[in-house]
Amino acid sequence: MAEKTLGSPQNTIEILKKYNFSFQKKYGQNFLIDTHVLDKIIEAAKITQEDFVLEIGPGIGTMTQYLAREAGRVLAVEIDRALIPILRDTLQDYENVEIVNADILKLDIQRLVEEKNEGKPIKVVANLPYYITTPIIMGLFESRVPVESITVMVQKEVAGRMQAGPGTKEYGALSLAVRYYAKPYLVANVPPNCFMPRPKVGSAVVRLTRNAEPPVETEDDRFLFRLIRASFNQRRKTLFNGLRNSAELDIPKEVIAESIEELGKGANVRGEALSLQEFALLGNSILQKMHRLADGPEEK
Ligand code: SAM
């Protein structure tokens, strides 16, 4: 079959019929069928011939075709084995595309980037499977994969959480991680009729541009994010109780209480009231006190 540009309802249906493909709900399969949205994503991702692009979940290869035309190389990682022969067909004319049949959450992306792009920063572009949006994004940030930008379609509500500030309902660990690692930019809101099948929720495209340096100073950013996760685990509890009851952290309660007091926000403050800067101060103060305890009493 000669290359057929996907992205329209007719061509998508044709491919699905040809391969007798059935959508797998468990994989969050909603394929894009709107060329305007595809153009917007590609434009927002600012892809050039120099770029190595990782696409997570190519589906039948709709966006992959667009990416392949702009990028130097595209690595497309798809979990659903039934889509692999389809991708080999729809992407046959693109020599710069490599298809990998794998679960993105189980893949050592850092090693892959090292092997395939000599460890140089990559761009991630994806219409993400919504059931694992947060683990994918947090994983990309926390695993220290060299990523220049992440341009993704997510559930509209998740786009809201990425941009939320302290004191709002949407504010949480994802908002803080995004702020720490990147600058978020809302590219477009996308209604359900741009997908096949139609999702029940609205969607949005967001671009996250990696910060050259984090906006706050931390002694240990892995500890900072354990602290942040613990603070939001029990949203309705005070920060003190959230940290005290965390299975991930083992901080003496006096250390927690003193460090919270130093923030000057009152003993009953909740995690959702703290900015990234305040979480960083809290984390550094806790670590310093714990080092002191570990070193024993000061000699006189
Ligand atoms: N990119 C295509 C498009 O825009 O039409 C499909 C997007 S669809 C929302 C999400 C895709 O991610 C599906 O093809 C699905 O099979 C794939 N997927 C789901 N979970 C995955 C995982 N853990 N690893 C890799 N791909 C996954």
Side-chain angles (χ1 to χ4, degrees):
M1 189 182 96
E3 181 224 321
K4 189 154 220 178
T5 303
L6 300 165
S8 74
Q10 301 86 306
N11 292 351
T12 300
I13 290 169
E14 197 179 302
I15 287 286
L16 299 177
K17 276 202 182 135
K18 179 176 170 189
Y19 286 90
N20 201 13
F21 178 77
S22 352
F23 287 100
Q24 297 258 17
K25 219 174 166 189
K26 67 171 178 190
Y27 289 147
Q29 293 177 338
N30 300 96
F31 299 161
L32 262 169
I33 50 162
D34 188 298
T35 53
H36 298 297
V37 174
L38 285 153
D39 286 336
K40 261 191 203 161
I41 297 174
I42 303 299
E43 194 192 326
K46 299 183 188 154
I47 295 159
T48 70
Q49 292 291 318
E50 308 297 311
D51 288 326
F52 181 99
V53 175
L54 168 67
E55 187 191 6
I56 300 163
I60 59 169
T62 309
M63 194 157 74
T64 326
Q65 291 185 338
Y66 282 69
L67 292 168
R69 282 183 219 122
E70 304 298 324
R73 283 165 73 202
V74 181
L75 181 75
V77 179
E78 173 56 60
I79 197 171
D80 187 352
R81 207 184 312 162
L83 287 166
I84 304 303
I86 305 185
L87 287 164
R88 296 211 190 290
D89 180 357
T90 59
L91 301 171
Q92 63 178 304
D93 293 343
Y94 300 94
E95 281 171 7
N96 57 345
V97 177
E98 188 178 338
I99 304 158
V100 176
N101 182 204
D103 177 346
I104 192 71
L105 294 180
K106 295 198 181 132
L107 212 58
D108 185 344
I109 307 173
Q110 195 164 10
R111 219 191 67 203
L112 215 64
V113 174
E114 195 54 58
E115 277 172 19
K116 304 208 180 271
N117 201 37
E118 296 155 354
K120 289 185 297 218
I122 60 162
K123 287 183 179 164
V124 177
V125 185
N127 171 13
L128 286 178
Y130 293 170
Y131 73 107
I132 44 168
T133 303
T134 304
I136 290 177
I137 291 178
M138 296 289 271
L140 283 169
F141 283 147
E142 290 191 77
S143 63
R144 306 184 197 279
V145 176
V147 174
E148 207 176 314
S149 66
I150 304 177
T151 307
V152 277
M153 176 88 71
V154 296
Q155 213 173 306
K156 201 173 166 189
E157 178 238 319
V158 175
R161 281 202 264 139
M162 286 178 177
Q163 297 169 294
T168 60
K169 227 171 68 202
E170 294 121 318
Y171 186 61
L174 182 64
S175 330
L176 285 150
V178 164
R179 200 155 293 223
Y180 184 79
Y181 290 105
K183 284 201 177 39
Y185 168 70
L186 177 70
V187 177
N189 285 313
V190 182
N193 62 6
C194 295
F195 302 88
M196 183 183 293
R198 290 179 186 204
K200 289 202 177 71
V201 292
S203 305
V205 179
V206 180
R207 186 184 64 221
L208 307 173
T209 310
R210 184 80 182 231
N211 291 326
E213 292 294 331
V216 295
E217 270 183 41
T218 56
E219 194 183 316
D220 176 349
D221 55 10
R222 288 179 200 271
F223 178 77
L224 172 67
F225 280 96
R226 289 215 301 275
L227 196 76
I228 287 173
R229 267 194 296 272
S231 309
F232 286 96
N233 260 349
Q234 297 167 302
R235 250 196 121 88
R236 299 173 65 193
K237 295 229 162 109
T238 60
L239 178 62
F240 177 85
N241 283 330
L243 299 184
R244 186 78 193 111
N245 299 337
S246 161
E248 247 194 304
L249 299 165
D250 185 19
I251 314 171
K253 68 175 193 290
E254 301 72 28
V255 169
I256 302 177
E258 271 176 44
S259 300
I260 291 178
E261 197 189 323
E262 281 171 20
L263 283 176
K265 293 225 153 199
N268 291 326
V269 68
R270 290 187 185 177
E272 65 202 29
L274 265 55
S275 66
L276 177 60
Q277 177 72 38
E278 286 161 337
F279 270 115
L281 287 173
L282 181 70
N284 291 342
S285 156
I286 289 176
L287 282 176
Q288 274 164 20
K289 290 184 180 34
M290 287 178 57
H291 296 326
R292 250 182 260 141
L293 282 177
D295 292 345
E298 273 173 41
E299 281 180 37
K300 294 247 161 84

